[in-house]
Amino acid sequence: MAKASSPPSFDTIRYEVAEAIATVTLDRPESLNALTVTLKQELLAAFRAIARDRTLRAVVLTGAGRAFCAGQDLKERLQPDAAPLAVELRERYNPIIRAMRALDQPIVGAINGVAAGAGASLAFACDIRLASEQASFRLAFGRIGLVPDSGATWFLPRLVGPAKAAELALLDESLSAVDAERFGLVARVVPADALAGEARAAALRLAGLAPRALALTKRALERSWSVSLDAALDDEAHRQGIAGATQDHQEGIAAFLEKRAPRFRGD
Ligand code: LHQ
């Protein structure tokens, strides 16, 4: 069994590990968890630490207080040493989104409140989104004369379809949790006081599944957006060959035949 490394400590996020699940909480509630340089650096470091730790099987990403994340900290943008926007995106935002999508472990987004701007993009980059009744989504870029970024223009049409994506991106409409569920942006809406428990339960279920198969499934779902059915069929066969050669596959079959719960070890 892989050995757990000691969890890193941070100032603007909370990073907690329990039962093979890493919970990452954006933790600047006074600013609705707006993204400062430090927070972005810490978030990237957290995802990199998770990627290295094979004892972790699932991730929960959420926000402290009443918001999930209000996007870029706009006060910090007024600092004279703020990086040009394109540089900020290339060097600080895009690596976070790439790290999230490259992660083998699935990420459950527990969207506890408003997700705006790049905060919405962070929510979109999760594998599964559960939303509190108090959650809402707003691109917010148009209002400050910017273009949706951090993957928003890529994720949104894929998640809600081109018509709703155009409305959200161009008119900067706010989407309630209920409408987000209706348009397929979130898997499920739950009462606010049940969100943390539901997200944990989903993460625990993921943590009990075969890690290699989950990672391969993540990749296959993502790749499906850019390939033909023909290529997807080949890709599935390739990935199934890898999954089928794991001990976990043998364990899954044995557990089924012995009528017991499987114990997947990630090998
Ligand atoms: C904030 C923020 C915030 C700082 C609330 N910053 N303090 C941008 C540029 C750079 C690189 C490339 O990418 C990007 C990506 C982006 O993310 S652009 C989009 C940036 N985000 C926004 O434009 C959203 C700004 N916030 C809002 O529109 C509202 O705050 C929302 C709709 C999120 C929530 O509204 P309310 O519930 O009414 O809360 P509030 O506005 O009263 O905010 C509460 C506090 O949080 C307040 O502070 P205060 O000291 O007055 O209590 C806000 O100033 C602060 N805050 N968002 N992004």
Side-chain angles (χ1 to χ4, degrees):
M1 195 71 177
K3 193 171 170 299
S5 47
S6 52
S9 73
F10 298 109
D11 293 327
T12 59
I13 64 173
R14 290 203 305 271
Y15 182 95
E16 292 148 313
V17 169
E19 297 176 279
I21 298 165
T23 299
V24 178
T25 307
L26 310 175
D27 195 17
R28 300 186 64 235
E30 67 291 349
S31 302
L32 307 188
N33 305 317
L35 302 162
T36 56
V37 168
T38 304
L39 195 155
K40 285 173 262 183
Q41 287 168 339
E42 293 189 345
L43 194 53
L44 181 60
F47 285 122
R48 289 190 171 155
I50 293 165
R52 285 192 301 269
D53 190 339
R54 290 192 57 232
T55 66
L56 297 174
R57 300 280 191 87
V59 182
V60 174
L61 178 65
T62 193
R66 70 178 174 90
F68 176 72
C69 175
Q72 166 64 37
D73 188 305
L74 295 176
K75 291 169 192 153
E76 199 179 65
R77 288 305 307 165
L78 301 176
Q79 302 292 322
D81 58 348
L85 293 189
V87 173
E88 189 66 21
L89 281 170
R90 289 199 180 98
E91 294 186 358
R92 299 216 170 88
Y93 282 92
N94 296 353
I96 296 172
I97 302 298
R98 289 193 175 110
M100 290 174 74
R101 297 312 307 154
L103 211 59
D104 280 347
Q105 299 95 329
I107 307 174
V108 178
I111 316 303
N112 53 303
V114 64
S121 304
L122 284 180
F124 301 159
C126 296
D127 294 290
I128 296 173
R129 278 163 295 288
L130 302 182
S132 139
E133 290 163 339
Q134 290 162 10
S136 62
F137 295 85
R138 180 167 195 166
L139 288 192
F141 295 90
R143 222 162 28 129
I144 54 169
L146 290 182
V147 178
D149 64 25
S150 307
T153 62
W154 190 89
F155 288 114
L156 206 53
R158 287 167 169 78
L159 290 168
V160 300
K164 197 67 191 170
E167 185 185 39
L168 291 171
L170 297 172
L171 286 177
D172 197 16
E173 297 272 330
S174 179
L175 202 62
S176 67
V178 169
D179 282 344
E181 184 178 8
R182 197 155 64 87
F183 287 103
L185 189 54
V186 303
R188 207 150 36 90
V189 180
V190 300
D193 60 1
L195 180 68
E198 292 282 341
R200 181 145 199 89
L204 272 171
R205 279 186 58 195
L206 290 163
L209 295 170
R212 194 90 182 95
L214 286 180
L216 289 162
T217 304
K218 270 184 71 159
R219 306 272 168 275
L221 288 174
E222 186 147 316
R223 189 163 185 271
S224 74
W225 290 112
S226 56
V227 300
S228 63
L229 171 62
D230 205 43
L233 289 169
D234 278 340
D235 188 53
E236 285 174 355
H238 171 70
R239 286 173 206 275
Q240 203 66 295
I242 299 171
T246 61
Q247 287 295 318
D248 280 346
H249 172 52
Q250 296 305 319
E251 164 62 8
I253 293 177
F256 173 76
L257 295 177
E258 291 161 23
K259 299 188 188 302
R260 61 170 175 80
R263 288 181 296 272
F264 293 122
R265 293 159 43 96
D267 45 22

